[in-house]
Amino acid sequence: MSLAEIKKKIEADAQEEAGKILEKARSVVKSINRETDGEIKKIEDSYGERFSKEKPEILRRREIVAALDVKKIELGLKQKAISDAFSQALSQLSLLPGEKYLSLAGNLLLKATETGEETVVVSGKEKHITQEWIAGFNEKHGKKFVLGEEKAPISGGFILKKGAIETNCSWDMLIRWIRDDIEADVVKRLFSA
């Protein structure tokens, strides 16, 4: 045999061997693919079963969260309604006609005074509690109140000052005190149905 024939024989044998190796590799790949497909199917089935078992629980949890969100929104609306009701009460106090306004202020002034010589501080927008009214009140009740020059950021009523001691009788503070006392009852009346 010549060198060329030997070379051809080696190449033919190599190609035949390569073909066998390639065929064996393809067979292994097919086997691996079948196993992988089987594993994928098992995993898909497992997750499908798991999801179908957990689906009711997932939906139940979503309903709970949705219900909590609704309750949170309802609570916010109720709190806003209550705040609006008390804000409206504050507005109504500020809009009292002069005689009723001064009657309420006078009663508060008598109850809140310690010495009868305090300074009465009012809002910059105060229309009813004036120097003249204070003078008449003092004369009628034997007091020595003085209308303060400084103004307070209040919606109505007054603040009594004696040195470093202040007694807040503003409408804002009265509504805050009343709110603390009656808010539970207001909630019950507004939202019991």
Side-chain angles (χ1 to χ4, degrees), residues 3 6-7 21 46-47 54 59 87 91 93 102 110 154:
L3 191 58
I6 293 174
K7 186 177 172 189
I21 292 172
S46 166
Y47 278 113
E54 292 179 6
L59 294 175
S87 291
S91 259
L93 274 175
L102 291 173
L110 287 173
I154 56 177

Side-chain angles (χ1 to χ4, degrees), residues 86 89 93 171-186:
F86 282 105
L93 274 175
W171 298 162
D172 311 88
M173 184 58 69
L174 292 176
I175 292 295
R176 196 172 312 140
W177 285 337
I178 290 170
R179 184 174 183 162
D180 290 344
D181 290 344
I182 69 168
E183 188 167 19
D185 188 46
V186 170

Side-chain angles (χ1 to χ4, degrees), residues 150-165:
E150 70 177 292
K151 301 301 177 192
I154 56 177
S155 61
F158 57 89
I159 298 172
L160 281 181
K161 285 181 85 173
K162 181 71 174 180
I165 299 172

Side-chain angles (χ1 to χ4, degrees), residues 31 38 46 126 141:
S31 173
S46 166
E126 180 61 56
H141 297 285

